[in-house]
Amino acid sequence: QVQLVESGGGSVQYGESLRLSCVASGYTLTSGCVGWFRQAPGKEREGVAAIHTDGVTRYADDSVKDRFTISQDSAGNTLYLQMNSLKPEDTAMYYCAARTWCTYRALLQSQGYTYWGQGTQVTVSS
């Protein structure tokens, strides 16, 4: 049984940093595409950052790319999202997700991801 468990969320001030982790069991994250998604109240879930099977990374936009870094350990057990210079608009529930294969175009599309964690809350105050 595949299980993804996120941790590392919390309440921080504008400009501070957080590192999210997603530990996988029953599945090797490096065997497919993996990503971080977030959902703020009243908004749709959106892709934040993702890694393709071949190591190519994608970020939601330049603002995220300049401040966030997605990575995973070589064993394929843990996915990370280092978030620096956090802003209030980053406030959301953050989820990690995995799928066995995807195209580059589908990396940040939530539909198609098979496995999801329960989420970890990130709150940034100004």
Side-chain angles (χ1 to χ4, degrees):
Q1 182 177 357
V2 177
Q3 189 173 19
L4 304 179
V5 180
E6 303 98 334
S7 63
S11 296
V12 297
Q13 298 288 320
Y14 177 93
E16 293 185 338
S17 300
L18 283 173
R19 188 192 197 200
L20 305 184
S21 298
C22 172
V23 177
S25 58
Y27 184 77
T28 301
L29 296 175
T30 50
S31 65
C33 301
V34 291
W36 287 97
F37 297 79
R38 66 186 179 187
Q39 187 167 19
K43 295 187 177 181
E44 294 186 354
R45 187 171 299 185
E46 63 175 357
V48 177
I51 304 177
H52 192 270
T53 311
D54 62 7
V56 170
T57 58
R58 286 288 186 271
Y59 293 89
D61 51 42
D62 288 342
S63 173
V64 169
K65 185 177 182 180
D66 290 344
R67 300 181 296 120
F68 294 5
T69 303
I70 187 172
S71 62
Q72 55 187 338
D73 67 344
S74 58
N77 296 325
T78 307
L79 180 69
Y80 302 100
L81 185 67
Q82 177 67 43
M83 305 187 295
N84 300 326
S85 302
L86 283 162
K87 304 176 180 180
E89 50 263 44
D90 296 317
T91 295
M93 184 70 80
Y94 283 71
Y95 301 88
C96 68
R99 55 188 294 180
T100 55
W101 184 84
C102 71
T103 62
Y104 292 152
R105 179 177 296 182
L107 268 171
L108 293 176
Q109 297 175 358
S110 59
Q111 59 269 32
Y113 276 83
T114 308
Y115 308 113
W116 290 86
Q118 82 290 346
T120 185
Q121 178 67 39
V122 173
T123 302
V124 185
S125 56
S126 58

